[in-house]
Amino acid sequence: MQRFLLVSVAAVAALALNAAVPRLARAQGPSAGPGAPLKIAYINSREILQRTPGYAAAESTYLKEVDSYRTEVQKLQSQLDSSVQAFDQQSIALSPAARAQRQKDLQGMQQRMEARTNELQDKARQREQELLQPIQARVNSVIQGIRAEQNYALILDADAAGGLIAAADPALNITARVLQRLSQAQ
């Protein structure tokens, strides 16, 4: 679940970067004249995610649902393993035609298990999106609002995959401001 929001926040940062690059080249923006310093800030999306109101409940719901999916897949795998083990023990006594039929049955069983596993993975991804979308929209709205209010050209994510930030001045970290705004929005 964290992966999803991290990717989303990183996408917002990438969009902001794409929008800011022309201004970087000209060293001017809509709120600043030529040569004005470019305002940049960063956030820690993992901290924001974990402390956003509603996230803990969404995560708990998601983990319960995924656990039930995992249990179902484990049962299917156990049934397949038992069937394969029984086949291995009985295969010597089976006629070639019966052996071929049992192998075909086992392959069908494996294909059904794989199809169900894929179906449950898709269902888990969809459910994650359903649970996170309102949280993500609220976080992105707050970040964009702060960016606009403070005239930041760029807000980067210190937790983004690919590591956009190697080192930064802690004074540029607006994570606390984002969290404060999110808690006020309740």
Side-chain angles (χ1 to χ4, degrees):
M1 197 133 138
Q2 289 179 352
R3 166 192 52 83
F4 182 76
L5 188 61
L6 292 178
V7 169
S8 300
V9 174
V12 169
L15 289 173
L17 180 61
N18 286 338
V21 167
R23 284 188 273 165
L24 287 169
R26 292 189 312 266
Q28 63 184 11
S31 62
L38 191 62
K39 286 184 74 175
I40 297 175
Y42 70 92
I43 58 166
N44 293 316
S45 60
R46 187 171 296 133
E47 180 181 353
I48 291 170
L49 174 66
Q50 291 171 346
R51 294 178 53 190
T52 296
Y55 174 78
E59 181 182 39
S60 176
T61 300
Y62 175 77
L63 291 175
K64 285 177 190 173
E65 291 176 13
V66 167
D67 190 48
S68 71
Y69 301 160
R70 190 176 298 119
T71 300
E72 182 178 343
V73 169
Q74 287 172 344
K75 284 181 184 178
L76 291 172
Q77 183 65 53
S78 292
Q79 290 172 353
L80 179 61
D81 292 345
S82 295
S83 296
V84 168
Q85 187 177 18
F87 171 75
D88 288 343
Q89 291 173 354
Q90 299 167 356
S91 67
I92 297 172
L94 296 174
S95 69
R99 187 178 307 120
Q101 182 59 45
R102 290 286 303 270
Q103 286 175 331
K104 186 177 178 180
D105 292 344
L106 289 172
Q107 288 173 346
M109 187 180 216
Q110 181 174 357
Q111 289 171 348
R112 286 189 300 278
M113 184 193 81
E114 288 172 0
R116 182 62 179 156
T117 299
N118 290 337
E119 180 183 322
L120 290 172
Q121 287 173 342
D122 290 344
K123 192 173 180 179
R125 278 189 290 273
Q126 180 181 2
R127 186 64 173 140
E128 179 182 39
Q129 175 64 26
E130 289 170 3
L131 291 168
L132 279 182
Q133 196 281 328
I135 295 168
Q136 175 190 7
R138 192 168 62 234
V139 169
N140 288 342
S141 175
V142 166
I143 291 170
Q144 287 294 349
I146 291 171
R147 186 205 57 74
E149 289 169 14
Q150 299 298 314
N151 292 319
Y152 289 115
L154 208 43
I155 298 177
L156 301 172
D157 182 1
D159 294 325
L164 294 174
I165 300 174
D169 181 350
L172 299 175
N173 186 348
I174 62 167
T175 300
R177 188 178 304 154
V178 172
L179 288 167
Q180 178 185 22
R181 185 77 53 91
L182 283 166
S183 68
Q184 291 172 350
Q186 286 230 48

